[in-house]
């Protein structure tokens, strides 16, 4: 199910997570060469992605809210 990014936080390992409008969290790791998300490393990049829709697998599986 598509859900919009409403904000960000970091987990205990210092990895960025998107806070989705459905109140689930989804990791947004920059881990080249496997995953290239250099935008997550800067405040400007993260701000530009606010409102972008991501597929929320937790919603698809009816998982409890993260926050």
């Amino acid at each position: 199910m598509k859900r919009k990014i409403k904000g960000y936080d970091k987990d205990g390992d210092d990895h960025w997570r998107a806070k989705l409008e459905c109140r689930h969290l989804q990791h947004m790791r920059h881990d080249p060469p496997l995953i290239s998300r250099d935008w997550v490393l800067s405040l400007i990049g993260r701000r530009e992605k606010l409102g972008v829709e991501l597929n929320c697998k937790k919603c698809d599986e009816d998982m409890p809210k993260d926050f």
Side-chain angles (χ1 to χ4, degrees), residues 22-63:
C22 58
R23 298 181 55 212
H24 286 129
L25 297 168
Q26 186 170 333
H27 277 98
M28 296 283 104
R29 291 184 178 96
H30 177 61
D31 189 19
L34 301 175
I35 301 169
S36 181
R37 291 189 183 119
D38 56 343
W39 59 266
V40 80
L41 302 177
S42 73
L43 178 60
I44 293 170
R46 291 188 302 276
R47 282 185 181 163
E48 288 176 350
K49 297 293 184 181
L50 289 174
V52 169
E53 291 184 335
L54 300 175
N55 186 44
C56 182
K57 293 179 183 179
K58 290 181 179 181
C59 279
D60 292 341
E61 297 174 8
D62 201 28
M63 302 283 290

Side-chain angles (χ1 to χ4, degrees), residues 4-21:
K4 291 181 182 178
I5 297 174
K6 292 297 184 180
Y8 302 92
D9 74 358
K10 285 189 172 184
D11 67 10
D13 293 323
D14 209 33
H15 294 140
W16 285 103
R17 301 182 294 190
K19 293 174 132 182
L20 304 179
E21 65 183 332

